[in-house]
Amino acid sequence: GNFKTVVGCLYGETYCKANISLSYTLDGSVEEVIGEWNEFYDGLTSEIEINLGTLGLYGKPVTFIFRVKASGGPEGDQIFWIDPRIEP
């Protein structure tokens, strides 16, 4: 299965500049970072697709953690995650 989502800065937030990350825990284990991405206001979105099988996570009880950190000041750092999902 693949984890899929689309991320980006909200429309009109021209000062948006942030670091986003996706982590997971497996049965209460230590948090592991899957990936980190830098988002800024450029009018585009970023498509994220991660093969969970290559991480040994497919079919297991996983808790995902979504984080947004400001790069510089927090002004305009409004990020969206569209339809995060797992597909076969």
Side-chain angles (χ1 to χ4, degrees):
N2 291 320
F3 173 87
K4 293 183 177 185
T5 190
V6 175
V7 298
C9 292
L10 288 181
Y11 179 77
E13 295 297 339
T14 57
Y15 292 106
C16 179
K17 186 176 179 186
N19 174 269
I20 63 170
S21 64
L22 177 64
S23 303
Y24 72 91
T25 60
L26 185 60
D27 291 330
S29 65
V30 174
E31 184 178 327
E32 298 285 338
V33 176
I34 296 174
E36 292 184 271
W37 302 269
N38 291 310
E39 285 297 318
F40 57 94
Y41 189 78
D42 58 0
L44 303 174
T45 58
S46 298
E47 293 184 27
I48 297 172
E49 183 170 349
I50 299 163
N51 184 316
L52 299 176
T54 60
L55 297 173
L57 301 177
Y58 187 71
K60 296 185 179 175
V62 177
T63 300
F64 291 103
I65 302 148
F66 302 83
R67 285 203 171 82
V68 177
K69 294 183 221 172
S71 292
E75 182 181 354
D77 291 339
Q78 295 188 45
I79 300 289
F80 60 80
W81 298 77
I82 296 177
D83 194 25
R85 64 201 179 278
I86 297 173
E87 294 184 352

